[in-house]
Amino acid sequence: MNPFSKFLASLKKSVLSGPVDQVVGVDIGASSIKLVELKKKNGRAVLETYSTLALGPYAQLGVGATTNLSTEILVKALTDALREGSINARSAAMAIPSSASLVFTVELPPNLSEKDLATIVPTEARKYIPVPISEVSLDYWVIPHRTVEGDGTAGEVKTEVLVAAIHNETLTKYREIASGAGLDADIFEIELFSEIRSAFTHELSAVLIMDFGASKTKLAIVEYGIVRVFHIVNRASFDITTNTATALGVPFDQAEDIKRNQGLLGGGEMAKASEIARIACDYILSETATVIQNFERKYNKPVSKVILSGAGSLLPGFRELASEKLRIEVVSGDPFGKVVVPEFVARVLKDTGPEFSIALGAALRKLG
């Protein structure tokens, strides 16, 4: 699920300690830190523990608020999260936010050699990357061939290349955060690939993954584990809370509670709050429908299913609204279905699982 063999290799230790059997996946989001600790037992990944820590209080803001914290404060927050979550593993994989990276596809002439690609891809990437190419870590992967028709080249086989880039400053920051919190992290992965790893099973058709986060909603259409489309919507869970607080004249913390408890289903006195949530959700789903339509038009194949992840997708009534608006199957992600979990928490994890998709996917990558 992560095709890049070279990506971020320069950040790995020169001498690795070899296979590990206990790891922690780290997802530092805009509003919280999510951790998932796994252990390998009898060849299977077993859940040891998981935890989440709100970042709002570290910026003197409420739980659920989005933040932009310094490296020093994030080190403290991650250290607190590890302690409060009783995380014992020190071998870690960290997810890099999609908002701090770029993932895109370029079409190139057919039958290019690896030597040609090494020269052409960075040149083409400059069209998409708004900073000098020397300031980013860049990697690419050639997507298996497909036939492209139209613009006078019917039947010609193009070379499609999936490209990913992360700003070097971002990589340095995350390495410092991991080191400062006492973690031995040699894997830094764009969160999109962590999410694919935890969400996918054996889907044989195109599927859209919707990560409904705090500050943004990320959309990825994936086919056979290959990212075909990646799109960011600048609406998310935090917008619902702030708009609710303003419209109802209530504190942020109270608005957050209303959102989580009532969602789109509030009636009576809570009807106005649900209407506010509905406006944001309608916008997100409208953009999602457009992304799906554009994909289906370009590739002449349908998107068969939507998999929901992120804490925002737990909004009461959202999955039903998404199914109604998009008119295709919509399911909540079940990342913990990939690992062995204690029976007494299985039902809880089924409900809260989408929030931990990224952290669990990163941990699975590290565990191998």
Side-chain angles (χ1 to χ4, degrees), residues 6 69 74 89 190 206 299 320 325 339:
K6 305 186 296 295
L69 301 174
L74 283 174
I190 296 175
Y299 292 98
E320 292 76 11
K325 291 287 186 179
V339 301

Side-chain angles (χ1 to χ4, degrees), residues 294-313:
N294 289 342
F295 170 85
E296 293 179 340
R297 188 179 301 115
K298 179 177 180 179
Y299 292 98
N300 194 30
K301 59 182 68 174
V303 172
S304 65
K305 181 167 63 176
V306 173
I307 300 175
L308 301 178
S309 69
S313 71

Side-chain angles (χ1 to χ4, degrees), residues 195 199-201 203 205-212 217-222 281 284-293 295-296 302-310 313 318-334 354 357:
E195 198 147 37
F200 264 59
T201 51
E203 283 80 8
S205 55
V207 173
L208 183 140
I209 298 177
M210 176 189 291
D211 181 358
F212 192 163
T217 300
K218 282 85 71 177
L219 308 174
I221 295 181
V222 182
C281 292
I284 292 168
L285 293 172
S286 176
E287 288 223 16
T288 303
T290 299
V291 168
I292 291 173
Q293 291 165 7
F295 170 85
E296 293 179 340
V303 172
S304 65
K305 181 167 63 176
V306 173
I307 300 175
L308 301 178
S309 69
S313 71
F318 180 74
R319 183 170 62 83
E320 292 76 11
L321 178 64
S323 180
E324 173 191 330
K325 291 287 186 179
L326 301 176
R327 297 183 180 180
I328 56 177
E329 181 184 7
V330 178
V331 300
S332 295
D334 182 23
S357 295

Side-chain angles (χ1 to χ4, degrees), residues 39-271:
K39 189 170 186 176
K40 186 176 287 187
K41 296 180 181 178
N42 300 321
R44 302 186 67 184
V46 177
L47 176 67
E48 288 289 287
T49 188
Y50 66 99
S51 68
T52 182
L53 178 74
L55 291 175
Y58 289 85
Q60 288 74 54
L61 299 172
V63 172
T66 58
T67 61
N68 184 21
L69 301 174
S70 67
T71 299
E72 292 74 19
I73 295 178
L74 283 174
V75 167
K76 174 174 171 45
L78 179 55
T79 302
D80 291 345
L82 292 165
R83 184 185 65 254
E84 293 179 16
S86 299
I87 305 293
N88 295 315
R90 285 298 170 261
S91 182
M94 298 191 73
I96 303 292
S98 296
S99 58
S101 58
L102 285 174
V103 178
F104 54 90
T105 302
V106 297
E107 283 192 354
L108 302 175
N111 303 320
L112 292 173
S113 67
E114 182 60 37
K115 183 178 179 181
D116 292 333
L117 288 169
T119 302
I120 295 173
V121 170
T123 301
E124 288 294 310
R126 289 191 179 99
K127 301 175 183 178
Y128 300 85
I129 299 172
V131 298
I133 202 75
S134 60
E135 295 182 10
V136 302
S137 290
L138 185 75
D139 201 8
Y140 60 89
W141 185 71
V142 178
I143 297 173
H145 285 154
R146 70 179 178 85
T147 300
V148 179
E149 298 183 359
D151 29 46
T153 60
E156 181 179 345
V157 177
K158 296 285 188 180
T159 299
E160 276 193 311
V161 181
L162 182 65
V163 184
I166 300 178
H167 202 289
N168 292 331
E169 289 184 359
T170 299
L171 295 175
T172 299
K173 175 180 178 178
Y174 274 76
R175 185 163 60 169
E176 290 175 353
I177 292 169
S179 176
L183 294 178
D184 176 17
D186 60 8
I187 289 179
F188 299 81
E189 176 174 70
I190 296 175
E191 63 182 8
L192 169 62
F193 300 107
S194 299
E195 198 147 37
I196 292 171
R197 187 178 299 105
S198 68
F200 264 59
T201 51
H202 301 287
E203 283 80 8
L204 299 179
S205 55
V207 173
L208 183 140
I209 298 177
M210 176 189 291
D211 181 358
F212 192 163
S215 63
K216 299 180 187 299
T217 300
K218 282 85 71 177
L219 308 174
I221 295 181
V222 182
E223 185 180 27
Y224 295 107
I226 300 168
V227 179
R228 290 293 189 180
V229 177
F230 180 65
H231 180 77
I232 293 179
V233 183
N234 290 314
R235 293 283 196 288
S237 181
F238 178 70
D239 298 295
I240 297 175
T241 305
T242 54
N243 292 341
T244 299
T246 300
L248 300 185
V250 299
F252 181 91
D253 288 349
Q254 185 177 343
E256 180 73 8
D257 288 339
I258 292 172
K259 178 191 71 178
R260 295 188 181 195
N261 295 325
Q262 303 295 329
L264 302 170
L265 305 179
E269 295 181 354
M270 292 295 102

